[in-house]
Structure formats: C-alpha cells, structure tokens
Amino acid sequence: MNGIISDLNQIITGEVSTIAEDLVAVSQDFGGIIQKQPQVVIRPQNSFDVAKAVKYAAEHELTISSRAAGHSLSGQSLNQDGILLDMRNLNQIHEFCPEQLWFKADAGTTWKQIVDTSLPHGVIPPVLTNYFDVTIGGTHCAGGLGQNSFRYGSQADNCLGLEVVTTTGDVLWCTPEENSELFHHALCGYGQFGIITKIQHRLRKYRPFTRTYFLCYDDINTFLNDQRRLILENRVDGLLAMFSPCILGVSRLGETGIKPLIEWFYRMQVTLEVDSLDDINEQELLSDLNFYRHIHTEDFNFSKFIQPAIQVPHLPGTANPWIDVLLPGSIAKEFIQTALERIPSFIDFRATPIGSFSLMARNTKVPMFALPDEELILGFGMYPTVPKSQVQPVLKQLNQLTELALQMGGKRYIASWTEFDLPKWRLQYGDYWLKINELKRKYDPQCILNPGFFQYENEPFAYSQQGAVTALTNTLQPVV
C-alpha cells in the first residue's frame, strides 16, 4: 500500500488519500444497501489525472471506479479494495453557447449549476430529473429521465459529445461521428467501457410560462387511455402520474389477521409550456379526457416550475430500495395492477411515492438503455425508504416484481435498485448482450473498470429471447 500511495502521489496532481474517514465517506451510496470500501481515494484535478490513475490501475491490476454525488442505488458508484475516483472537483462549465444551444462541462458538474447558468439566457437542457444535485456525468452514465422524456428521450439522448478516458490511459473525444462506438456505449454504460470526464450537451429554448392540470382518475383503464392519447397526440409538454391509496376499511382474515381494503386513485399532472397563459385553450385540451375529477390548476413562470418540488433526505439508518420498471404499453395495466395489489404486503404504501412516466422508443436511441419492443413505453416506479433492518424482505419482493416484468417483456431502468444474475442480464439486453460482452473484452479486457455490478460471460454463448425467458421462468418462485 505504501508503494501504491507513493507512486500515485508522484503522478497525480490532485489529492490521494487513504485516510479512514475519506474511505468510509465513499463506501456507501444513496441506496444505502450495498457497502464497498476502496483502498485509495483520488480527487483528480483534471482529465489527465484520471488518465494516469486508470493507466496505473491497469498496469498494477487494480480495479478503479468513478463517483461524484454517489446517488446510485445498487452500489454502481462504489469500489471494493481498489481505487475510487472522487470526481467532484471536476466541476467547471467550460463552454456555454446559448445561441448554438449547447454547453460543455466537466463530468462532476451538477445539474443545478447547469440550470442556474441556463435560465438567465432563456435556455434549458431538454430533460431534467427531479433532483438537481446529481452530476451530469452520473446521469449520462445511467440515462437520466424526466417528465418530458416522452418528447426528448433521456438526458443521454441529448448528449452531443463525450471526453472518455480508456484503460490504455488515452483521453478521447467521442461523438456520433468520431470514436462513435465508444460514444454510444459510454452513454448509459455505468463506467464499464471508459470513464467520462467531460460532456457536451444540447440545450433548448423554453417558453416563459407553464400551466399544470392535476387530474384524478378512479379507473386504471381510463387513466391509461388518456395518458396514451396525450402522449401520442403530442398535446402536452410534461406528464407525470402518481398513484394514491385510499383505505376504505379492513377485512378480517381468519382468527387474527386483517387486510386493508384499498381503492387506488391515479393522479395525472399534465403541463403546458406557453408564451402567454391566454394562449391556452383549456376546453380543447380537457374536453375529451375522461378524468374523475379536475382537482387543481397551477400556474408558474418556467424558472419556478422546473425547480424540484420535493427533496428526499437520506435519513441515518435507512435504505432507499427504489425501483423503476419499463413496460410495453400493451401490458402496463396487467403489471401495474399486480404491483399495486402486492405493495401493501411489504412496504408502508401510504408513505411511499408510487407513480408512472412515459417514453417513446423513437426518442430513446442509446443502445445501452434497454427498452421493451414497443413504441409507447410506460414506466412504473416505487420509491420506498425503509429501516435497514427491514430492507431484505422488501428487496425480495422487488426482485420478484422485476422478474415478473422481465417475463412480460418489460425491462429495468438499472439506475434504480438492481440485483441481476447472468440470466437476467441476458434478458435485459436480449440479442445485444453478445455485443456488450464483445465491447467489454475490447475496451476493458482486464475487467478493472467499475466491477461488481454487471456480470459478464466467461465463454461465448448462443442467445435466444424465448430460451432466456424459459430459463428465467424455471428459476423463479411463482409471483402471486
């Protein structure tokens, strides 16, 4: 260890630390479920520090991972016994070009920095998540979804260029035309093929005012039909759905048990972005929708509207086993009804945000972002916070819902809680899994980059979708 520290201090201009407090500080992520502790933390000052650290790791057969805000949920930003790159010092906006509608910034720059810089110029990134203190590098590695992703895709879909450090220590600029293979797979690649150090990203002009209608549904069919209509007819600029339980009583089970009688309501928030609120034709927008009740209308200027409405604290002693499932529109109802029926048995459903978002396959083209094989994709997410002592039973149930989704042709947004074995990785990526293994051998033959999350094939294999479904089904307990 002393030799490693001495070597790194000679080649790194940033800070190299083995202080116990520094190691512990990067040993857990926002999920609070997985713990890993590196031997060394490096706080690079520039891309060349990252390149030197990666090359050193390759030469000495050490694993190496990158981390900034640490907002991963399954240990994707952690490292065990290797080198952890703390990217938070790489946080400068290098070029900001509102007229050309793009910016270039370090991977450790937060989206809050980007938003604060953009708003005075009348521009904004096309897609924003509901939490701005994550970094642009982190969300480009994962995807990054927002309430208008049905129109603009993921944040990764709006990337124009990447600076990527490879395991050979090269610093490459990658675009759809230059080093395109690495560009397309570093995006949503979770650091498996290279470490992203800079990003060029698209901007768009925004309109100054927004109006949001809060519509409540008491029937899932009506809710899903209206959601499809608004998206496919391109009638709104933002759409978010939340599911709310109403306890109507309890039913006695046997001698001592009771079961809550729950009615679920589906709240859809649809947003218009306009030059003037007088431009809105409310009758035209709402007249053919079949909501149970129009419960609220909210008018904001755009800069107020995009600010996250709710902050989620990371409470001591708790875990966040959040899960997002991507469903073919044709089977979304079946899955959602099954999930809502099961949820009260294993989490505090009254305190857990549960909701839905939407994607269009034609707007989401990153190959590492696996999608179901339909044009309209409905996301289903649940975001519980539970005491760590109670997390394992919750994970068991979430894993069963994941397995059900995969059986039904869905995919997982693997930025959320993900616990995959090889059969599930094969099913997640389908035929493309062969290509991913090929690229891993090409760009990271020693498997030093961000290990412990993805599982790869030791030998080539023949893939078939039906065979993968059958193999997965044969290993599962029934989901009832």
Side-chain angles (χ1 to χ4, degrees), residues 44-330:
Q45 290 296 316
N46 49 52
S47 303
F48 300 107
D49 272 355
V50 175
K52 292 172 185 175
V54 172
K55 188 174 182 180
Y56 182 88
E59 291 172 348
H60 293 80
E61 299 183 343
L62 295 168
T63 62
I64 187 164
S65 309
S66 61
R67 168 199 174 107
H71 212 261
S72 62
L73 292 158
S74 299
Q76 296 96 318
S77 61
L78 305 181
N79 181 283
Q80 182 65 46
D81 296 329
I83 297 172
L84 193 287
L85 297 168
D86 183 341
M87 305 288 280
R88 287 175 293 179
N89 286 342
L90 300 183
N91 59 7
Q92 300 302 306
I93 300 174
H94 294 282
E95 297 179 72
F96 189 83
C97 302
E99 296 81 11
Q100 289 79 39
L101 297 178
W102 60 267
F103 69 87
K104 184 185 290 185
D106 290 330
T109 307
T110 66
W111 285 104
K112 185 177 188 308
Q113 290 174 261
I114 301 300
V115 169
D116 290 347
T117 302
S118 300
L119 285 174
H121 294 274
V123 295
I124 200 73
V127 177
L128 292 168
T129 69
N130 60 1
Y131 186 62
F132 287 176
D133 288 326
V134 293
T135 62
I136 65 172
T139 61
H140 279 76
C141 282
L145 299 176
Q147 63 174 292
N148 55 2
S149 283
F150 65 88
R151 175 170 288 182
Y152 298 112
S154 68
Q155 290 180 327
D157 285 296
N158 290 280
C159 180
L160 301 173
L162 296 169
E163 183 182 82
V164 181
V165 173
T166 69
T167 54
T168 57
D170 293 315
V171 181
L172 301 179
W173 184 249
C174 307
T175 70
E177 296 78 33
E178 180 182 1
N179 298 310
S180 60
E181 185 177 71
L182 188 54
F183 172 82
H184 288 300
H185 295 87
L187 290 170
C188 302
Y190 295 89
Q192 294 295 306
F193 312 108
I195 294 177
I196 297 172
T197 49
K198 286 190 179 70
I199 292 163
Q200 184 179 2
H201 190 88
R202 187 176 287 116
L203 296 166
R204 71 170 179 91
K205 295 180 180 179
Y206 65 81
R207 292 183 170 131
F209 302 103
T210 66
R211 172 169 289 173
T212 300
Y213 295 97
F214 291 68
L215 309 175
C216 183
Y217 293 76
D218 59 356
D219 176 76
I220 190 170
N221 285 312
T222 306
F223 160 75
L224 290 174
N225 287 337
D226 280 0
Q227 188 177 26
R228 290 188 186 97
R229 177 182 299 149
L230 289 170
I231 293 167
L232 295 176
E233 295 178 4
N234 202 28
R235 287 162 60 173
V236 296
D237 298 297
L239 190 150
L240 178 68
M242 300 297 294
F243 304 154
S244 302
C246 178
I247 300 177
L248 301 178
V250 295
S251 173
R252 289 180 290 183
L253 301 175
E255 295 294 327
T256 58
I258 60 173
K259 176 184 178 181
L261 301 175
I262 301 167
E263 179 78 16
W264 287 92
F265 290 89
Y266 313 93
R267 186 184 77 238
M268 186 157 56
Q269 296 172 206
V270 297
T271 298
L272 302 176
E273 185 181 321
V274 294
D275 294 315
S276 168
L277 295 175
D278 294 334
D279 296 340
I280 297 173
N281 187 331
E282 185 172 299
Q283 175 69 15
E284 182 179 345
L285 175 67
L286 301 181
S287 61
D288 62 348
L289 301 181
N290 297 294
F291 46 85
Y292 159 67
R293 186 178 177 188
H294 174 188
I295 58 176
H296 183 58
T297 300
E298 192 170 76
D299 294 339
F300 280 133
N301 61 45
F302 183 83
S303 60
K304 172 68 174 177
F305 164 73
I306 63 165
Q307 300 302 320
I310 301 174
Q311 298 294 336
V312 180
H314 193 170
L315 302 174
T318 63
N320 296 304
W322 296 359
I323 184 174
D324 287 299
V325 178
L326 305 174
L327 303 165
S330 61

Side-chain angles (χ1 to χ4, degrees), residues 6-30:
S6 176
D7 291 346
L8 291 173
N9 275 320
Q10 290 183 42
I11 62 174
I12 301 295
T13 57
E15 183 181 352
V16 179
S17 175
T18 57
I19 298 172
E21 291 83 354
D22 290 344
L23 301 179
V24 170
V26 296
S27 67
Q28 189 166 284
D29 60 8
F30 183 76

Side-chain angles (χ1 to χ4, degrees), residues 338-349:
T338 300
L340 294 180
E341 183 178 344
R342 291 181 59 83
I343 282 170
S345 70
F346 66 90
I347 59 174
D348 182 357
F349 60 95

Side-chain angles (χ1 to χ4, degrees), residues 374-408:
E374 286 190 14
E375 178 61 19
L376 177 62
I377 297 154
L378 298 181
F380 176 84
M382 65 185 88
Y383 313 107
T385 296
V386 300
K388 287 188 177 182
S389 61
Q390 301 174 19
V391 75
Q392 289 305 318
V394 173
L395 297 182
K396 179 180 178 180
Q397 296 294 327
L398 295 180
N399 288 341
Q400 286 194 5
L401 287 174
T402 289
E403 291 157 357
L404 176 63
L406 292 172
Q407 290 176 34
M408 296 173 72

